[in-house]
């Protein structure tokens, strides 16, 4: 858990989990990063209520993009988009 305090380590961990394309795994990874930083601290820095944070990152959570951005920014991370390397089929 201590390694998740390092933004580079946390980013690599979340990025690897995102490759799994598993929502439950992503929520668990985000929850672990938030716990490493202290849930109350993350909630305060993200301007979210603690209940909202816990609910958003629970197994049944479904955080909005805004909530995800707030959580990530509160721990020194941000969302990013990169090319997947797959060619899209023109419509």
């Amino acid at each position: 858990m201590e390694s998740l305090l390092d933004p580079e380590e946390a980013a690599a961990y979340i990025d690897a989990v995102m490759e799994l394309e598993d929502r439950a795994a992503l929520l668990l990874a985000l929850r672990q990063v938030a716990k490493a930083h202290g849930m109350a601290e993350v909630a305060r820095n993200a301007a979210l209520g603690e209940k909202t944070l816990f609910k958003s990152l629970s197994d049944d959570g479904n955080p909005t993009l805004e909530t995800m951005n707030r959580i990530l920014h509160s721990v020194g991370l941000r969302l990013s988009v990169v090319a997947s390397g797959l060619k899209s089929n023109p419509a």
Side-chain angles (χ1 to χ4, degrees), residues 19 21 81-88:
E19 289 291 319
E21 296 183 16
V81 177
V82 297
S84 68
L86 300 176
K87 290 186 177 184
S88 63

mmCIF file of all heavy atoms in Angstrom, residues 19 21 81-88:
data_model
loop_
_atom_site.group_PDB
_atom_site.id
_atom_site.type_symbol
_atom_site.label_atom_id
_atom_site.label_comp_id
_atom_site.label_asym_id
_atom_site.label_seq_id
_atom_site.Cartn_x
_atom_site.Cartn_y
_atom_site.Cartn_z
ATOM 1 N N GLU A 19 -6.127 -2.178 -18.286
ATOM 2 C CA GLU A 19 -5.916 -3.094 -19.411
ATOM 3 C C GLU A 19 -6.786 -4.341 -19.286
ATOM 4 O O GLU A 19 -7.095 -4.986 -20.282
ATOM 5 C CB GLU A 19 -4.445 -3.491 -19.509
ATOM 6 C CG GLU A 19 -3.529 -2.382 -19.967
ATOM 7 C CD GLU A 19 -3.748 -1.999 -21.424
ATOM 8 O OE1 GLU A 19 -3.943 -2.913 -22.254
ATOM 9 O OE2 GLU A 19 -3.720 -0.798 -21.715
ATOM 10 N N GLU A 21 -9.848 -4.393 -18.503
ATOM 11 C CA GLU A 21 -11.216 -4.040 -18.891
ATOM 12 C C GLU A 21 -12.241 -4.679 -17.951
ATOM 13 O O GLU A 21 -13.246 -5.232 -18.375
ATOM 14 C CB GLU A 21 -11.480 -4.416 -20.343
ATOM 15 C CG GLU A 21 -10.609 -3.638 -21.316
ATOM 16 C CD GLU A 21 -10.897 -3.939 -22.772
ATOM 17 O OE1 GLU A 21 -11.952 -4.523 -23.082
ATOM 18 O OE2 GLU A 21 -10.055 -3.561 -23.604
ATOM 19 N N VAL A 81 -5.831 9.748 -22.333
ATOM 20 C CA VAL A 81 -6.254 8.862 -23.415
ATOM 21 C C VAL A 81 -5.069 8.663 -24.355
ATOM 22 O O VAL A 81 -4.391 9.626 -24.716
ATOM 23 C CB VAL A 81 -7.449 9.470 -24.189
ATOM 24 C CG1 VAL A 81 -7.844 8.604 -25.360
ATOM 25 C CG2 VAL A 81 -8.623 9.697 -23.255
ATOM 26 N N VAL A 82 -4.833 7.413 -24.728
ATOM 27 C CA VAL A 82 -3.768 7.102 -25.669
ATOM 28 C C VAL A 82 -4.328 6.174 -26.734
ATOM 29 O O VAL A 82 -5.309 5.468 -26.523
ATOM 30 C CB VAL A 82 -2.550 6.442 -24.979
ATOM 31 C CG1 VAL A 82 -1.904 7.377 -23.980
ATOM 32 C CG2 VAL A 82 -2.940 5.152 -24.315
ATOM 33 N N ALA A 83 -3.688 6.161 -27.883
ATOM 34 C CA ALA A 83 -4.102 5.276 -28.954
ATOM 35 C C ALA A 83 -3.899 3.833 -28.538
ATOM 36 O O ALA A 83 -2.892 3.491 -27.918
ATOM 37 C CB ALA A 83 -3.313 5.579 -30.217
ATOM 38 N N SER A 84 -4.861 2.986 -28.859
ATOM 39 C CA SER A 84 -4.788 1.582 -28.456
ATOM 40 C C SER A 84 -3.948 0.749 -29.409
ATOM 41 O O SER A 84 -3.586 -0.378 -29.094
ATOM 42 C CB SER A 84 -6.192 0.986 -28.375
ATOM 43 O OG SER A 84 -6.751 0.892 -29.679
ATOM 44 N N GLY A 85 -3.686 1.277 -30.589
ATOM 45 C CA GLY A 85 -2.949 0.512 -31.562
ATOM 46 C C GLY A 85 -3.857 -0.301 -32.467
ATOM 47 O O GLY A 85 -3.415 -0.903 -33.435
ATOM 48 N N LEU A 86 -5.143 -0.327 -32.135
ATOM 49 C CA LEU A 86 -6.121 -1.025 -32.968
ATOM 50 C C LEU A 86 -6.664 -0.071 -34.003
ATOM 51 O O LEU A 86 -6.941 1.085 -33.694
ATOM 52 C CB LEU A 86 -7.268 -1.564 -32.110
ATOM 53 C CG LEU A 86 -6.891 -2.551 -31.007
ATOM 54 C CD1 LEU A 86 -8.131 -2.903 -30.189
ATOM 55 C CD2 LEU A 86 -6.293 -3.804 -31.607
ATOM 56 N N LYS A 87 -6.808 -0.545 -35.205
ATOM 57 C CA LYS A 87 -7.387 0.295 -36.245
ATOM 58 C C LYS A 87 -8.898 0.259 -36.127
ATOM 59 O O LYS A 87 -9.488 -0.802 -35.925
ATOM 60 C CB LYS A 87 -6.973 -0.181 -37.636
ATOM 61 C CG LYS A 87 -5.517 0.052 -37.924
ATOM 62 C CD LYS A 87 -5.209 -0.297 -39.351
ATOM 63 C CE LYS A 87 -3.742 0.003 -39.647
ATOM 64 N NZ LYS A 87 -3.437 -0.249 -41.047
ATOM 65 N N SER A 88 -9.516 1.414 -36.250
ATOM 66 C CA SER A 88 -10.980 1.448 -36.211
ATOM 67 C C SER A 88 -11.508 1.197 -37.608
ATOM 68 O O SER A 88 -10.869 1.504 -38.606
ATOM 69 C CB SER A 88 -11.459 2.798 -35.683
ATOM 70 O OG SER A 88 -11.053 3.833 -36.552
#
